[in-house]
């Protein structure tokens, strides 16, 4: 059974999470470690979860979630390289959506410009997400960085078209500080 375990930086398992974030996301797709640790320990809107397979007794990944009034935003989701392509992604998404059944879940994906980004979008679609193709730029995580064109994907509602600008403003303000 997949379990999401909230973790703070003083937890010995946080090293696994930080290493996995470094390994899975280039610098331009994550904030500086000190800022990340601040959010982990002090930001009431932000939760870092260690993803654990209780049956196999292994840590399989990390998911970071921002909980806002009208939706949850999944900022990062990564699985450990040694368990990839073993069906864990589907189990993780099911666990996420089961825990958020009464609220919209939003995440960012790269534009479908290469095979990997197309596969990633397909994965989320197969797991109950819909693609919103409204123009969206991911603000830079670091000073001097450039915005990245993205799409939002969502689950838990029929559309986010009417709420798109509010969702974007909430993400921009709280997640990226702009």
């Amino acid at each position: 059974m997949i379990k999401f375990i909230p973790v703070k930086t003083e937890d010995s398992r946080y090293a696994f999470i930080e290493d996995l974030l470094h390994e899975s996301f280039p610098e331009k797709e994550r904030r500086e470690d000190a800022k990340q640790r601040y959010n982990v320990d002090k930001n009431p809107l932000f939760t870092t979860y260690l993803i654990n397979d209780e049956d196999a007794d292994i840590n399989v990944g990390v998911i970071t979630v921002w909980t806002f009034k009208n939706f949850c935003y999944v900022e990062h989701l990564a699985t450990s390289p040694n368990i990839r392509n073993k069906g864990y992604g589907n189990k993780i998404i099911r666990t996420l959506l089961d825990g958020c059944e009464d609220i919209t879940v939003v995440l960012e994906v790269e534009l479908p410009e290469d095979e990997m980004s197309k596969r990633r979008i397909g994965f989320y679609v197969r797991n109950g997400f819909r693609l919103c193709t409204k123009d969206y730029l991911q603000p830079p995580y670091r000073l001097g960085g450039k915005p990245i064109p993205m799409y939002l994907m969502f689950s838990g509602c029929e559309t986010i078209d009417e709420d798109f600008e509010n969702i974007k403003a909430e993400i921009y303000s709280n997640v990226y500080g702009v």
Side-chain angles (χ1 to χ4, degrees), residues 65-135:
V65 179
W66 293 81
T67 304
F68 302 118
K69 182 178 177 183
N70 296 315
F71 69 99
C72 287
Y73 168 70
V74 176
E75 183 176 21
H76 291 106
L77 169 60
T79 55
S80 184
N82 59 337
I83 59 91
R84 289 184 186 147
N85 300 314
K86 294 185 179 175
Y88 279 103
N90 296 327
K91 293 175 186 176
I92 291 166
I93 296 300
R94 283 291 113 225
T95 301
L96 171 69
L97 295 180
D98 287 349
C100 299
E101 63 184 86
D102 293 331
I103 192 164
T104 300
V105 177
V106 176
L107 53 84
E108 298 168 339
V109 291
E110 294 103 352
L111 301 180
E113 298 176 334
D114 59 34
E115 192 59 33
M116 182 55 83
S117 57
K118 290 175 186 174
R119 287 179 54 207
R120 188 171 292 116
I121 289 170
F123 165 78
Y124 285 117
V125 168
R126 288 189 304 279
N127 281 283
F129 281 82
R130 294 185 169 115
L131 186 65
C132 177
T133 57
K134 290 183 176 280
D135 289 338

Side-chain angles (χ1 to χ4, degrees), residues 33-52:
D33 289 344
K35 290 180 180 177
Q36 183 74 7
R37 291 177 192 138
Y38 176 85
N39 281 336
V40 170
D41 289 335
K42 305 228 189 276
N43 193 322
L45 300 174
F46 184 79
T47 308
T48 296
Y49 295 97
L50 173 70
I51 304 168
N52 180 269

